Amino acid sequence: MTAERSLRRDAQSNVEKLHAAALAVFSDRGLSAPLEDIAKAAGVSIGTLYNRVGSRDQLIDAVIPAVVGEKLLALKERTMAEPTPRARLERFVTCMIDLQLSDPALNDAMLRRFPDATALINACDRSTALGAELIEDAHAAGVLSQDFTTEDLMAVLWMAGTASHDPRAPSGWRRLVERGVAAAWIE
């Protein structure tokens, strides 16, 4: 019975090490980082990773949604503190692009590169809903062209997320994205 308890503690310790390593590796290199690198960083075998946490999607769902959720909650707070619908939407776009630039895992999440990581997708859906709400508010205030939709916003963020992590992307991608949004405002 003592050996069984020890194994359970050891197994739990391995899970904790794997979660910590996954968070560090994913945050640094994105959600497609090799699982072998995560196992190595945790000091366990790849077999232990699969036995203790399952698939890549299960590992992503175990460690990333809480972090993404915290960052997106902070984004929402900064966004909603702005005084006007235009300022809120501008803040949202700018902060989302900055988050995509600074956090490869969040960028992968926003680009929905792992659609079977359902907890992660749910966290991202809340961000999409905030964007839709901000667009509706800007439309209602008469400051945003009715032609600019939630789909347009998601396309802007997708372009930014894709370009921000592609070393072959032209250096002016952000300026082009900002011009695209600026053209939607009604002066």
Side-chain angles (χ1 to χ4, degrees):
M1 188 163 235
T2 304
E4 187 176 330
R5 284 187 192 161
S6 177
L7 179 63
R8 288 183 187 164
R9 254 191 313 262
D10 186 48
Q12 182 59 38
S13 175
N14 285 341
V15 169
E16 291 167 5
K17 288 187 226 174
L18 284 163
H19 285 182
L23 185 57
V25 171
F26 285 153
S27 293
D28 185 49
R29 296 173 45 202
L31 300 178
S32 61
L35 294 180
E36 292 81 4
D37 292 357
I38 294 169
K40 183 178 179 181
V44 301
S45 71
I46 190 69
T48 298
L49 183 147
Y50 285 115
N51 286 329
R52 296 292 169 219
V53 297
S55 69
R56 175 183 301 275
D57 292 326
Q58 290 170 313
L59 183 57
I60 289 169
D61 274 348
V63 300
I64 298 297
V67 174
V68 167
E70 287 175 19
K71 290 180 180 183
L72 294 177
L73 181 59
L75 165 75
K76 182 177 182 177
E77 290 171 0
R78 285 193 306 272
T79 297
M80 298 313 286
E82 293 295 333
T84 66
R86 179 177 178 158
R88 285 190 287 275
L89 184 55
E90 287 175 333
R91 170 71 68 175
F92 177 80
V93 171
T94 300
C95 287
M96 280 300 299
I97 292 172
D98 289 343
L99 280 173
Q100 288 176 290
L101 280 166
S102 67
D103 188 328
L106 186 130
N107 188 54
D108 285 344
M110 293 309 298
L111 295 176
R112 300 178 186 274
R113 290 191 169 136
F114 296 91
D116 292 332
T118 54
L120 179 63
I121 294 300
N122 290 339
C124 293
D125 285 347
R126 289 190 296 277
S127 175
T128 302
L130 174 60
E133 178 185 325
L134 296 170
I135 287 173
E136 287 176 22
D137 291 348
H139 285 159
V143 297
L144 183 67
S145 169
Q146 293 293 324
D147 292 343
F148 191 88
T149 66
T150 302
E151 286 182 7
D152 296 326
L153 176 61
M154 294 303 111
V156 163
L157 296 176
W158 179 84
M159 287 186 292
T162 301
S164 67
H165 292 283
D166 185 344
R168 300 166 305 209
S171 61
W173 68 263
R174 187 161 186 166
R175 187 175 59 252
L176 184 62
V177 165
E178 290 168 351
R179 283 183 185 162
V181 174
W185 296 114
I186 298 171
E187 296 300 325

